[in-house]
Amino acid sequence: MSTSIGHNLLHQSLLCSTVLEHQSKLNSSGIPAKSLFQAATINQAARKSPISTKFYGTNLKARKPKFAMGSRRSAGITPRAVLAVDPTSEQVAGKFNLDGNIELQVTISAPTSGSIRLVNIQVSYGSDSLILHWGGVHDRKENWVLPPRQPDGTKNYKNRALRTPFVNSGSSSYLKIEIDDPSIQAIEFLILDEARDKWFKNNGQNFHVKLPLRKNIQNVSVPEDLVQIHSYLRWERKGKQMYTPEQEKEEYEAARTELLEEVARGTSIEDLRARLAKKNGHEIKEPFVHKMKNKIPEDLVQIQSYIRWEKAGKPNYSPDEQLREFEEARKELQSELEKGVSLYEIQKKITKGEIQTKVSKQLKTKKYYRVDRIQRKKRDLMQLLNKNVATHVEKHEISVEPKALTAIDLFAKAREEQDGGSVLKKKIYKLAGKELLVLVTKPAGRTKIHLATDFKEPVTVHWALSKKGGEWLAPPSTVLPPGSVSLDGAAETELRSSSSSDLPYQVQSVEIEIEEDSFVGMPFVLVSGGNWIKDQGGDFYVDLGYRSKQVQKDTGDGNGTAKALLDKIAEMESEAQKSFMHRFNIAADLMEQAKDAGELGLAGILVWMRFMATRQLIWNKNYNVKPREISKAQDRLTDHLQNMYKSHPEYRELLRMIMSTVGRGGEGDVGQRIRDEILVIQRNNDCKGGMMEEWHQKLHNNTSPDDVVICQALIDHIKSDFDIGVYWKTLNDNGITKERLLSYDRAIHNEPNFRRDQKNGLLRDLGNYMRTLKAVHSGADLESAITNCMGYRSEGQGFMVGVQINPIPNLPSGFSELLQFAVEHVEDKNVEALLEGLLEARQDIRSLLSKSNERLKDLLFLDIALESTVRTAIERGYEELNNAGPEKIMYFITLVLENLALSSDDNEDLIYCMKGWNDALSMSKSKSDNWALYAKSVLDRTRLALYSKADWYQRVLQPSAEYLGSVLGVDQWAVNIFTEEIVRAGSAAALSLLLNRLDPVLRKTANLGSWQVISPVEVVGYVAVVDELLAVQDKTYDRPTILVARHVKGEEEIPDGTVAVLTPDMPDVLSHVSVRARNCKVITYCLLNSCIHFRWVTFLWAVNYNLQVCFATCFDPNVLADLQANEGKILRLKPTSADVVYSEVKESELAYSSSTNLKEDGASPSLTLVKKQFAGRYAITSEEFTSKMVGAKSRNIAYLKGKVPSWVGIPTSVALPFGVFEKVLSDNINKAVVEKLQPLKKKLKEEENSALKEIRETVLQLAAPPQLVQELKTKMLSSGMPWPGDEGEQRWQQAWMAIKKVWASKWNERAYFSTRKIKLDHDYLCMAVLVQEIINADYAFVIHTTNPSSGDSSEIYAEVVKGLGETLVGAYPGRALSFVCKKNNLDSPLVLGYPSKPIGLFIRRSIIFRSDSNGEDLEGYAGAGLYDSVPMDEEEKVVLDYTSDPLTTDGNFRKSILSSIARAGSAIEELYGSAQDIEGVVRDGKIYVVQTRPQM
């Protein structure tokens, strides 16, 4: 009989949950058969079970049972008594650490009969601002009750809690609470520090303190069967968890205690029994003593079921099979009993294996997956949703008392100024109350080392120079300061005293100047009074290696970083360089400061740790440290990261990234084995000299992640039949060169030199040693992470310690087999099944990662390893996709998206992308006509999500990388590519490659073509490359220029002299920027190519007065890169019907082309504005809208009223007419505002464009004249519109601020530059404000009643977005749903593209204030969209799920809505008799038009 047994089969416990779950029949005592509770009672009442159990993972180890001859087992139930506490004693109910050194202690006094219970709460922090937020807890009630007896000063908080102030006693604060309500079982509380607005919690939960029972419970007991049932019910409530034996016992006793407390409060046993019977769903009869005469004891049934399991080949039974096997074992024994065999004889027969069993041999390992593929569980994708967005921590300055400068500080300051501030290194050492300064400067290319100390006794420096680490070389005579003495391998120089009136006493110093760049360092020690003064037992060392590094950028001011933290890191770096132990301990010490700094603080730690991991920082310098000390420091740091991961879900993504740069670590034994095991390898394999001895010395003094690579290189070398080239290849491929091996403090000079007879032993021992190395250094290595989670044991040999890592309890069922599947298939060439297995494993442990667990960091390292393995598998699987169809590529995309979503703090957009891909797959499989068009929209949205992810990395990480990299002297190339490498190392890069592979397939299938030519025009110009169009929008080019701009937001103006703008950004065809461009005769081309990275690109050509202008988005990054490479050259852009060709031309051709353009276009049109005057009214209704009072926007909407079909809604409108702004400005109450504006307008006329922002801010300070408020209120109410002031003064102030923002937009940059270009008098520009009630739209749309792409007047073109229209006309990323519809067939809209915009805007019932200037819609000038429309309330941004939107999923609904939009457009065009540009919304299927203008 084996010593191993599967869980749930032998041990009668909560582990056998399925038995309890599937068997509802109760025995006559009311106890479920085979339950933990019955078995526990038997074991308590009789002797210990003869079966000793121990857990390993999901298996239960057991010794074979041994029975005493002639023994009989008792099955009686023994009631248990409960001892009461000494009623006069005071008990400590709990001690907690609140924050740093602040401790909380709660003590309670057990009451005598009839007395109150006293709770004393003390905090080791004296403050007048501490508040106890508390309440009482009744039995099984979640809501707090408010005790009637309350301490002085207590306030009722919203009838949900009490708030009681603490009493400040100086160094601590205390509070006493008296509870006289016997029904209150416990109190719960939080502590609030009102002064700091800080809550103290118990690991994110309430503090919970149980109150003692009254004295009279000491003689109380409850029947054991009720304890059993209550335990079962508790187990059910907790989700039927897997318990260890110790946990089972705790649960059982907790159930007993709860029942005893109820009885102590007066509940009768009968009431208890009735309540438990009702909850359990069965009638409970009075318990009775089990008669053993005709019943088989449960322990014998267990043993027999174990024997059956062994004979069946130890299969992994399902819950139903476990239950069946248990009953079959019982039947076999019952059969023996019915034959007259005694229980004693049955025991003997079981021991000898003589009981007849009928069981078929099964597979040795029955897995829940097939050999080639796992069966993935069906999950709701929304269960993966995370919306943990980190909030921005505002930069705050900490007031610090300036410290008085010491003599050494003053000396250093003087030398820095003397050497021109070119400081390369500065450090002050504290030496027994004195200071030692090491200052390295580099004035005029010469390296100077200043040493200075405030010792009073004479000091001599004993020093040398080194060309490699650990070396002492005698300094050349040319660098010796005067009075120096040359020694063998060193020199001695006495420090000279220097006094100054600025210094309180003398400073001794020496200056050493070094010209030769070959020296990398200067080791030294000090001698004073016959004593050697060292750096913590080792040499001082001045690192000169940074002299060869690339010159750094200026550190800047640290904007966008947690600068105080980064400065602290920089200050501690010289200490951190000593060893990993120092670095990890410093990082652990800084974690609290990083947490307080929020997202940017943790970004700073990540940047620092990644610089370390990529070998940009020194790992070890002049310090020997034991492996177990490094391991312990790692353990300390990862404990901090684990605890922060539990308490701050918004930072989990950053914390995971930090953990991936740090090894797992571990206390004591794991680290010590690094040191011990190498000695055993040398002894066992007779390889004590040469390279192995050098490596042994390195391992003893400073082990590092390099040792994992060295070990792998040795294994590869041995496996390759001792090919030394393989050894070096493994090292070099992982960044370890010969120079690096020589740079260690314990350098490795030799190559491995093994004998052939050592091969097998070395492979065995080095393979085992690799596990030890990875356990410390490679927490994210898959095999190591799995081993740490599932548990392992490694015996010690001689002096070498043994290691036992226990398995993590309560892992999901089948999880170990899932991990085994991943390990077995990790090298498979066809990776699909592996990817499914890895992701299934990640899904299985996902819920555990959000729960409190002492081994959480082991689970985190496992999840990080699984994530990384998915990424490497995808990269290896690209070949598998070479000849794959679109469905397989789409499926791979869903897998990589799932991997990315599982690691993201805010993954809502990614989840909706996954849902979109699943729908696209279904549509493809069902041969839907539009599947490729729909998939293309999902692809575009996925690209936007990746761009957003990359932008987050750039914004959060790159500023810290640049600042910290600069102050630490990191190579500039490593700083420049920091974020790029982060992105490249993640799943986003793999996903982008898959999208690029799929894109051309979708385009071809959807017949999208390579180019979309909207209006062909030929242009010629010089190529100029800029980063942002915004940065040059006010520039005037003196020659025809083709701008290649990396970023275009959509709100900029095209600079004068520009003939084309090419960019990777593209707004919607009907956005404001596109409309303005078309109104300026812009002609559009869209290049649709396969090689898109994150964004789209399209060509938009325009004629802007006397110059032809091309506004362009290039779909192909290769084309865009080629255009950028032509910077400074002259190109001709020539469109054809299916392509756009560009070629280099001569300057003479440019002159001819420009001349032709000028002849065609003529002079710039002359546009003038008529200044509007105040007409005596602050507000008017739509019936009063005239050209003297309002702009075209207001007049057009008023004209539509009553003329459009009844099924088209027109919102009610009023307006603040022209001249009201000027009238308000002239009012006496705004005199101060006018005085501020006058000098600002003067600055603006003097070309100081920074004044624009100041003018806008000043306009917002205007006060509203009472007459304006009254007139606007009257007009709005008479028109049936709600008046904001009826909801309170605050609501009116919101409305007034929105009005002022509309007026202020007269001075926004894009409008100001636009009017100035065409020489419009900006002072004559007047702004009316159209006031409309916002329709909370389901959808918004823009219609062009003549197709702007083709100029086809028989065809309507429209775009639709979900939510408000600002995402369509504004600069929001993604595309709208677009369609065309023939005017003679309005029931048949044709969808051109599905939506990809990730964000929709929604708003409460509100008012919008629209700009309506006299400078919009002028003939020959595109003024539309230049000025702002402002809602009174802020819109809510919602991440959109198109898979639940009927406009996307329901063809009939879509046809109905799009046809209605087209009909509305056709009706309005017919009304005006000309092509129209129309904006509107859809609400509950009804069409509303909010504005229309002539289409240009």
Side-chain angles (χ1 to χ4, degrees), residues 426-630:
K426 178 182 177 182
K427 181 167 183 180
I428 297 177
Y429 295 88
K430 303 294 183 182
L431 304 172
K434 302 296 181 182
E435 294 183 327
L436 167 66
L437 166 71
V438 176
L439 177 67
V440 183
T441 62
K442 195 169 184 177
R446 297 167 300 157
T447 300
K448 289 186 178 182
I449 303 171
H450 300 276
L451 302 180
T453 180
D454 56 359
F455 274 62
K456 293 183 178 179
E457 300 81 10
V459 177
T460 298
V461 58
H462 181 86
W463 62 287
L465 295 173
S466 55
K467 294 188 176 182
K468 58 184 180 181
E471 189 175 49
W472 277 68
L473 298 176
S477 59
T478 55
V479 305
L480 294 176
S484 298
V485 178
S486 291
L487 304 173
D488 183 18
E492 285 193 348
T493 305
E494 187 175 344
L495 274 65
R496 301 296 179 90
S497 297
S498 58
S499 59
S500 165
S501 58
D502 295 332
L503 305 181
Y505 45 79
Q506 290 184 339
V507 170
Q508 300 181 64
S509 66
V510 66
E511 178 184 303
I512 301 169
E513 186 172 317
I514 302 173
E515 295 182 357
E516 189 178 339
D517 280 344
S518 61
F519 294 112
V520 299
M522 179 185 129
F524 70 92
V525 294
L526 302 178
V527 185
S528 179
N531 297 318
W532 292 94
I533 301 171
K534 298 187 176 185
D535 180 16
Q536 299 185 9
D539 300 336
F540 293 98
Y541 188 80
V542 182
D543 181 20
L544 305 176
Y546 45 77
R547 295 189 304 168
S548 62
K549 290 192 175 181
Q550 191 173 334
V551 177
Q552 297 295 306
K553 290 181 180 177
D554 179 37
T555 59
D557 55 10
N559 281 340
T561 73
K563 184 175 180 294
L565 174 68
L566 299 187
D567 288 339
K568 184 68 175 178
I569 288 172
E571 179 187 332
M572 301 297 294
E573 176 58 26
S574 58
E575 182 76 7
Q577 290 177 356
K578 289 182 178 178
S579 73
F580 280 116
M581 177 192 74
H582 290 82
R583 188 175 298 279
F584 293 144
N585 277 328
I586 291 169
D589 292 338
L590 292 175
M591 284 307 298
E592 194 65 29
Q593 184 179 348
K595 182 184 73 174
D596 291 342
E599 185 178 64
L600 295 181
L602 294 173
I605 296 291
L606 170 60
V607 168
W608 186 38
M609 290 290 101
R610 189 162 175 86
F611 279 152
M612 171 208 71
T614 54
R615 302 188 177 98
Q616 285 296 315
L617 303 178
I618 295 172
W619 283 3
N620 171 245
K621 188 172 69 177
N622 300 327
Y623 199 95
N624 296 333
V625 61
K626 298 181 179 66
R628 69 164 174 260
E629 292 171 335
I630 296 175

Side-chain angles (χ1 to χ4, degrees), residues 84-88 110-114 212-220 264:
V85 216
D86 179 0
T88 61
T112 57
S113 180
L213 301 176
R214 296 183 182 278
K215 181 178 178 181
N216 59 6
I217 71 162
Q218 66 181 46
N219 297 319
V220 172

Side-chain angles (χ1 to χ4, degrees), residues 12 27 29 31-50 72-80 224-225 228 252 256 288-292 295-302 326 330:
Q12 287 186 354
N27 59 32
S29 65
I31 306 169
K34 303 190 298 296
S35 71
L36 155 74
F37 317 114
Q38 186 178 38
T41 306
I42 295 169
N43 290 341
Q44 291 159 6
R47 59 181 179 276
K48 282 186 178 180
S49 168
R72 297 291 297 266
R73 290 187 62 80
S74 166
I77 299 173
T78 307
R80 298 168 64 94
E224 208 67 21
D225 62 315
Q228 295 164 7
Y252 194 82
R256 182 193 306 281
F288 72 107
V289 177
H290 294 284
K291 296 182 179 179
M292 300 299 296
K295 187 171 180 64
I296 302 295
E298 293 297 303
D299 58 346
L300 296 186
V301 178
Q302 294 169 354
F326 205 89
R330 184 188 303 281

